[in-house]
Amino acid sequence: MQRAAVGRGTAWTTRLAFGSAGIGNLYTAVTDDDAARTLSTAWDVGIRSFDTAPHYGLGLAERRLGAFLRERPRAEYTISTKVGRLLVPTPGNTGDDLANGFAVPATSRRVWDFSADGVRRSLDASLERLGLDRVDIVYLHDPDDHAEQALREAYPALERLRAEGVVRAIGVGMNQTALPTRFVTDTDIDAVLLAGRYTLLDQSGLAELLPAAARRGTSVIAGGVFNSGLLADPHPGSRYDYAAAPAPVLQRALRMRDLCERHGVPLRAAAARFPLGHPAVAGVLLGLRSAWEVTDAATLAEREIPDALWEELRARHLIASDAPVPGRG
């Protein structure tokens, strides 16, 4: 599978990367065997970049991913995790974590911490759960309400880790554009993991973030390209950005689906490919929870998409007229 550089160092990503929230039991449970099968299928189709976070299933995604990757040659894959949430054990808690979106026992609680010490403690804990001696990329995870501490304390701590060779690349992962743009322009991060803000339904990243990233040589990894599932299978009740899709947004997705089908292309194929048209986008990160989803994603990644589809999406004002598209730009 094609690879692309992340930032200006030695980090890289496969153009299709594996997001592990699903195998962290996002919304519904996945068995250990099914998670292992999903990861094995991802490896078989050529995916070599994997993303995780302590937040995903209170460490479950990290543990499952680490158990799989420990059996693979370390030089053949890249792995990213995130800092900003520490997991603090809650002995005796018999509840679950569904309020935070994960079907796991609430054995820990999340504590926001963007201090320099918090960054180190979070990374050390992630490495212990993963059972690995290093990760390749570390992102600040959702510092929306902690911007100043993240810039003043967490970012310098990541910069030191990169300088020491502990990690190869550093960045920020968010589902907004304003603060990541500030990181791109005011710091020396390598990457932005941008969730849901450069998709067929939301091109807000095109206004400032993506041009700034292109100027600075900062790589963008496009996550959330289905906007929580709506662009994978639009129907009444579909989620859009973690909530029920508003009627106008659903109707727009349905129009896109019909247009794509007239061109012989599944909507989810166009949705997964679209971000790669921008020169700042190094890869697309898909949350995959089953072997079928992995196989489908890999098949769609090879699907030919006619230029006429992108042209009609533009002509019908379903995507921005100035949005670069795969093939023609």
Side-chain angles (χ1 to χ4, degrees):
M1 188 171 291
Q2 186 180 2
R3 298 179 180 183
V6 173
R8 296 172 293 280
T10 60
W12 53 268
T13 180
T14 41
R15 296 287 267 180
L16 176 61
F18 186 102
S20 66
I23 63 166
N25 288 9
L26 181 64
Y27 303 130
T28 57
V30 174
T31 68
D32 288 342
D33 287 345
D34 284 345
R37 191 174 301 111
T38 300
L39 289 164
S40 181
T41 304
W43 189 272
D44 290 344
V45 302
I47 294 173
R48 293 294 184 272
S49 297
F50 302 84
D51 177 73
T52 190
H55 174 55
Y56 303 155
L58 294 171
L60 178 63
E62 288 184 320
R63 290 191 293 273
R64 284 174 164 172
L65 183 57
F68 175 79
L69 291 178
R70 286 196 296 274
E71 304 301 319
R72 271 71 193 171
R74 184 62 185 87
E76 292 189 15
Y77 65 84
T78 61
I79 180 171
S80 56
T81 192
K82 306 180 184 76
V83 296
R85 292 174 174 92
L86 295 175
L87 301 183
V88 178
T90 54
N93 191 334
T94 59
D96 60 44
D97 193 51
L98 283 171
N100 294 298
F102 294 92
V104 297
T107 54
S108 300
R109 60 186 176 90
R110 301 165 180 84
V111 176
W112 292 104
D113 192 333
F114 287 95
S115 68
D117 178 65
V119 166
R120 292 271 184 170
R121 289 168 58 202
S122 181
L123 180 56
D124 287 345
S126 288
L127 291 173
E128 183 175 349
R129 286 187 291 268
L130 288 163
L132 300 174
D133 62 354
R134 69 186 189 280
V135 295
D136 300 281
I137 306 170
V138 176
Y139 296 105
L140 302 178
H141 198 184
D142 295 334
D144 304 67
D145 298 325
H146 310 269
E148 296 311 314
Q149 186 183 36
L151 284 159
R152 187 179 64 253
E153 300 181 39
Y155 166 72
L158 287 186
E159 197 174 48
R160 285 191 292 274
L161 289 170
R162 183 179 60 187
E164 294 166 5
V166 177
V167 298
R168 292 201 278 173
I170 59 175
V172 60
M174 302 186 71
N175 56 13
Q176 58 146 294
T177 62
L179 187 54
T181 301
R182 187 176 171 190
F183 271 94
V184 169
T185 57
D186 295 353
T187 75
D188 191 32
I189 60 171
D190 299 286
V192 173
L193 175 49
L194 182 65
R197 302 286 80 89
Y198 193 59
T199 73
L200 286 179
L201 284 170
D202 184 336
Q203 287 114 62
S204 56
L206 195 59
E208 294 184 351
L209 175 58
L210 287 164
R215 288 192 301 269
R216 294 275 291 172
T218 305
S219 300
V220 174
I221 308 298
V225 297
F226 299 142
N227 286 117
S228 299
L230 181 58
L231 285 170
D233 179 22
H235 61 271
S238 292
R239 287 189 180 94
Y240 173 73
D241 286 357
Y242 313 107
V249 179
L250 173 60
Q251 289 304 312
R252 187 162 167 242
L254 290 170
R255 289 174 60 201
M256 288 181 172
R257 184 194 64 187
D258 293 346
L259 191 157
C260 286
E261 288 179 351
R262 289 201 301 274
H263 288 271
V265 176
L267 173 61
R268 64 189 186 280
R273 192 78 59 82
F274 168 72
L276 292 171
H278 197 286
V281 176
V284 167
L285 177 71
L286 295 184
L288 302 167
R289 62 185 298 121
S290 71
W292 181 89
E293 288 185 1
V294 172
T295 302
D296 181 66
T299 300
L300 295 177
E302 301 299 323
R303 185 73 172 259
E304 183 176 348
I305 298 181
D307 291 339
L309 170 57
W310 305 121
E311 292 169 1
E312 190 169 355
L313 285 166
R314 281 172 167 168
R316 294 181 179 274
H317 306 291
L318 290 171
I319 61 173
S321 60
D322 59 342
V325 295
R328 291 190 176 182

